[in-house]
Amino acid sequence: MILRKDIITDDNPVLREKSVDVTLPLSKEDEALLDEMMEYLENSQDDEKAKELGCNKIALGHHLDDAAETFMMNLLIESRIGCFAPVTYLSRKDITMIRPLIYVREREAVAAAERLDLPVVESGCPANEHTKREDVKNLINELSAQFGDVPEKIVGAMQRGGIDRWNK
């Protein structure tokens, strides 16, 4: 994994001055954890900006396929059953994270963005498409070819099982 200083420290000139580009030999598990940490840091900055603007809700762009991939990553990498919740209240920050696209398939979101000519912000992650998440996405596609729509089945199971507030 390569960490580029311009991606990690764009908003902090002091850190940018003192940072360097580094290449880290990471295991797949460490890489997945680093991805989660980067996402957490991005969300933390969103929280602060929302509060500055007087907002108490942040809408995230997670879709159904993200939920299925996260569930499988938690199962296969961390040996636990879980996923992010469709709605999460962060009491320490008095912010609610909502995921309005959670029941939309990735292909539907991509098609809508293309049809409406919406700007799409590409991931700034230096490991984009070379992550454990991409491996899990490929595994889910393989399983779907054999067993039908696996992401829908995973989300349905999370709803029926009430996992992480995934109630119908």
Side-chain angles (χ1 to χ4, degrees), residues 11-110:
D11 294 334
N12 190 323
V14 174
L15 284 178
R16 185 172 45 244
E17 249 180 62
K18 298 187 182 295
S19 66
V20 294
D21 291 346
V22 298
T23 301
L24 301 173
L26 297 177
S27 69
K28 291 295 184 183
E29 291 78 14
D30 290 341
E31 194 174 302
L33 179 61
L34 185 60
D35 280 344
E36 285 182 29
M37 287 172 31
M38 288 175 73
E39 184 176 340
Y40 172 79
L41 290 172
E42 289 169 6
N43 288 341
S44 293
Q45 292 171 352
D46 292 343
D47 297 349
E48 292 166 16
K49 190 64 171 176
K51 290 309 250 183
E52 278 177 34
L53 296 171
C55 301
N56 64 355
K57 289 190 176 49
I58 297 176
L60 302 175
H62 294 110
H63 47 71
L64 187 137
D65 297 272
D66 288 328
E69 291 160 15
T70 299
F71 178 86
M72 289 295 287
M73 287 178 65
N74 287 336
L75 179 66
L76 299 173
I77 296 169
E78 298 178 19
S79 301
R80 69 179 180 90
I81 293 177
C83 183
F84 52 77
V87 176
T88 305
Y89 177 67
L90 306 174
S91 59
R92 285 189 221 154
K93 296 186 178 193
D94 192 31
I95 293 272
T96 301
M97 308 292 262
I98 61 172
R99 294 175 172 88
L101 302 177
I102 202 65
Y103 295 108
V104 174
R105 297 302 302 268
E106 180 178 27
R107 64 180 172 264
E108 295 167 338
V110 168

